[in-house]
Amino acid sequence: MDTTTTDTQPMLIGGEWITSEDGAIDSVNPATGRINRRVTAASAAQVDAAVAAARDAASAKGWRDMLPHVRAQILGRISDGIRAHADELAHLQMIENGKVLSECRTQVAGAAATYRYYAAVCETLGAEVPPARGDYLSMTAYEPYGVVAAITPWNSPMTMEAQKIAPALAAGNAVLLKPSEVTPSVGLAVARIAQEAGLPPGILNVLPGTGAVTGHAIIHHPGVRMVSFTGGTQTGRSIAAVAAQRLIPVALELGGKSPHIIFDDAQLDAAIDGVVDGIFEGSGQSCVAGSRLFVHRKVLDQVLAMLVERANGLRVDLPDAPGAQMGPVSGFRHRERIEAMVQGARDEGGEILAGGCRPEGDHLAAGAFYRPTVIAGLGNHATAVREEIFGPVLCVLPFDDEDDLIAQANDTAFGLASGIWTANYQRAWRVARALEAGLVWINTYKQLSIATPFGGFKESGIGREKGVTGVRLYQQSKGIYWSMNPANVRA
Ligand code: NAD
């Protein structure tokens, strides 16, 4: 399928598709360096128009009073539409962020499942009637914020955007989506599907653009009543600072430097599979990437030998090549940053056991490819071990006992995910409880479900997406007291 085009793609405001050349952004294929398309970017004035349209749409009777089961039908039809356009959507994501086609397909299926899940939640989630403490009935009702912003990164736009838009709509809001400037297209394509599914105009607006212009205008706009952000920790911190001044709630899904742990009694073949997928899938550009591997000293040499063999054997190729296991990283500047981090690891005494360079092959020369990289010999305080690299780079560190392991694993600013490989179930439980992380995988890694709340400890975020309670992120509770005393009512 050819998803490249010479026309500037329009953005969506108030149900209208609007094209503008002012500040338009280029979507670039990181596998080839070629421009896929130009995409309209929203100026501050267009953000203002989108907020006005969203505010009108959110308060219009047709949306505000739509019964939950009817809203659920629209969400269900969006899910069906995503499934019907699965090939196109997977291809669109692949040509913008370079993930291999099979992973893009899995993420499209995940997005469809997310809309289906929140359709079910929308139809079934009730309000509460707590026990009364007097002659009254008290109810906890949940109201939408009105206009909420969803600001997303480039690594998995299909799933990240669905995880915000579906529950925010289920909760009764209107949404402004600001996709990453690297991956503006899938959000626009899903918005078309949502229009066809009967979503009223103005309820979903898609505003591509940079963080500095479009994102900045959105988070400062007085009509935006809540911000749901996924991206880097520094950006999250600056958005939270604006939200604090404006006294609006934020949900933040931020970076990670997740510890992946192999004890000496682990099933090593399975553990190595988990570690390799956990860091190299998506070229390591996953917030939950297991980028710090702690290995019990007894099995360190064996694990390193297995890892090096696996890393060297991974097929780095064009993302739609049959059998490709790793595509490029998302862009050329991003690759330069990864290269600088690996050079820094060398300078700090790290030993590059695999990778540490671009792959060979003329057909890859124009793309932002980088080989799967394994580094040993660094301490837990080395820069490459402390900072999120967001690339295919694994740092391996030894540990001697459980106390040493917990101390090292928790000695990080982040707290998103973690993984434990051991045959000892008591130990698995102890370590799982001691790790400061929002997610713990035991004898598996990167197992994810829309039904399970997701989010980070420490500087990895605030709030939990997904699950039934994912809808509550986009609502505010209201206590209603209703007297049961007949004397208080005119007969
Ligand atoms: P980023 O923080 O640079 O950008 C994320 C989004 O924020 C983009 O849409 C960007 O345009 C926008 N933005 C940037 N500055 C802004 C500002 N001042 N105001 C408003 N919006 C602004 O992140 P990225 O490079 O796109 O993505 C990679 C990061 O995302 C990594 O740190 C990764 O760990 C994180 N991430 C976290 C999760 C999670 O669920 N915890 C999931 C995926 C990615």
Side-chain angles (χ1 to χ4, degrees), residues 395-432:
C395 295
V396 187
L397 299 98
F399 69 90
D400 292 308
D401 57 40
E402 221 173 285
D403 289 343
D404 173 33
L405 178 262
I406 301 285
Q408 291 198 66
N410 285 342
D411 184 11
T412 167
F414 297 108
L416 191 54
S418 57
I420 304 166
W421 295 85
T422 179
N424 180 329
Y425 280 76
Q426 286 90 345
R427 174 158 65 198
W429 176 248
R430 273 195 312 273
V431 175

Side-chain angles (χ1 to χ4, degrees), residues 123-207:
E123 190 158 354
T124 53
L125 190 62
E128 289 130 34
V129 182
R133 298 174 73 91
D135 192 14
Y136 59 83
L137 180 66
S138 79
M139 287 173 280
T140 309
Y142 293 89
E143 309 285 6
Y145 284 102
V147 179
V148 305
I151 301 182
T152 51
W154 45 261
N155 62 321
S156 300
M158 268 317 305
T159 48
M160 304 282 140
E161 289 167 14
Q163 263 163 239
K164 295 187 188 307
I165 297 169
L169 296 181
N173 298 284
V175 178
L176 306 182
L177 170 67
K178 211 286 297 161
S180 164
E181 49 274 51
V182 179
T183 50
S185 295
V186 293
L188 293 164
V190 169
R192 272 193 201 279
I193 290 169
Q195 269 188 325
E196 284 160 19
L199 194 69
I203 293 299
L204 175 59
N205 305 274
V206 185
L207 306 171

